[in-house]
Amino acid sequence: DVKVTQSSRYLVKRTGEKVFLECVQDMDHENMFWYRQDPGLGLRLIYFSYDVKMKEKGDIPEGYSVSREKKERFSLILESASTNQTSMYLCASRGGGRSDTQYFGPGTRLTVL
Amino acid sequence: SQQGEEDPQALSIQEGENATMNCSYKTSINNLQWYRQNSGRGLVHLILIRSNEREKHSGRLRVTLDTSKKSSSLLITASRAADTASYFCATVRSYNAGNMLTFGGGTRLMVKP
């Protein structure tokens, strides 16, 4: 079974702090994704990566950056956290080829005070 | 903007009844997927239906796809309390780097014992 893990289930940070959210997958997947989920808005794609050191902006990249130094790990960085970044953050991975199915981690609920 | 829109937003039924959720989308698709999310957790892939398929079954799940109406439905038969969750449809869109998923806002299903 594919396993995607996220470093924290719950996180509380203060405005202006730098925040790191970590995601690790164990299936040697090329593609990894970061979403945020907000009530009424569904899942929105922040960034994705299709290979080590490669990244592409999703629909809402403002205020975020990402890092992928190793294939199994994809980090989401909030350079200066703001209250409007309070949300549920979900990481996902997908294999290469024609597969479109994504495998999700359990999520990190981030609160920015 | 969301490609998939689920209807209804919330559904409450008794155990043993069938639950039907609908999804509409805007642009042409290669396939459509349904995911399930238990409260506060990550998403789990349920079923994928390709654009050349009209109906697909998996256990108590039945998915239909009508590409002329740009709509899909997910039917859960003989529902159980454990089916209580949010259900999302997702359509595939193409980026330069590969295929991405666009999620709808979800249907919250409550199955009362």
Side-chain angles (χ1 to χ4, degrees), chain A residues 37 41 59 94 100 102 105, chain B residues 2 31 35 37 42 93 99:
Chain A
Q37 182 178 23
L41 296 176
D59 299 316
R94 173 172 68 83
D100 289 323
Q102 293 187 14
Chain B
Q2 294 175 18
N31 64 64
Y35 287 78
Q37 183 182 33
R93 54 179 169 154
N99 290 339

Side-chain angles (χ1 to χ4, degrees), chain A:
Chain A
D1 282 351
V2 177
K3 190 165 186 187
V4 180
T5 57
Q6 295 183 228
S7 50
S8 305
R9 293 280 290 125
Y10 299 95
L11 208 52
V12 179
K13 295 292 181 180
R14 298 213 170 270
T15 301
E17 281 193 78
K18 190 169 186 175
V19 182
F20 292 86
L21 302 181
E22 305 282 343
C23 175
V24 177
Q25 50 93 5
D26 66 356
M27 282 302 292
D28 203 36
H29 282 171
E30 289 85 358
N31 304 281
M32 297 186 75
F33 309 82
W34 275 106
Y35 297 89
R36 66 177 280 176
Q37 182 178 23
D38 301 286
L41 296 176
L43 278 77
R44 294 179 290 168
L45 182 64
I46 304 171
Y47 265 98
F48 65 96
S49 169
Y50 52 92
D51 203 349
V52 175
K53 297 190 186 296
M54 306 304 287
K55 60 186 178 185
E56 290 279 348
K57 293 178 180 179
D59 299 316
I60 51 164
E62 296 78 19
Y64 303 95
S65 61
V66 290
S67 172
R68 192 158 180 211
E69 296 297 317
K70 294 184 178 181
K71 193 174 186 180
E72 67 271 17
R73 187 180 298 269
F74 191 34
S75 302
L76 179 70
I77 303 155
L78 287 66
E79 294 290 342
S80 178
S82 62
T83 54
N84 63 13
Q85 292 179 309
T86 291
S87 186
M88 173 72 128
Y89 290 87
L90 292 163
C91 173
S93 73
R94 173 172 68 83
R98 296 189 60 198
S99 170
D100 289 323
T101 299
Q102 293 187 14
Y103 299 88
F104 283 81
T108 295
R109 187 165 293 281
L110 172 68
T111 302
V112 183
L113 302 175

Side-chain angles (χ1 to χ4, degrees), chain B residues 30-97:
Chain B
N30 292 327
N31 64 64
L32 184 143
Q33 305 177 37
W34 285 90
Y35 287 78
R36 165 196 167 122
Q37 183 182 33
N38 284 18
S39 179
R41 308 294 296 185
L43 276 72
V44 175
H45 178 259
L46 292 176
I47 195 166
L48 180 152
I49 187 166
R50 301 197 181 279
S51 59
N52 61 353
E53 297 175 308
R54 291 295 167 259
E55 189 170 311
K56 200 162 183 179
H57 297 255
S58 177
R60 293 182 297 112
L61 304 181
R62 177 183 147 223
V63 170
T64 62
L65 179 65
D66 187 335
T67 53
S68 66
K69 295 181 179 178
K70 292 188 170 55
S71 67
S72 173
S73 67
L74 171 67
L75 168 68
I76 304 174
T77 59
S79 64
R80 305 167 182 167
D83 294 328
T84 294
S86 291
Y87 292 83
F88 295 86
C89 68
T91 53
V92 176
R93 54 179 169 154
S94 294
Y95 268 69
N96 290 337

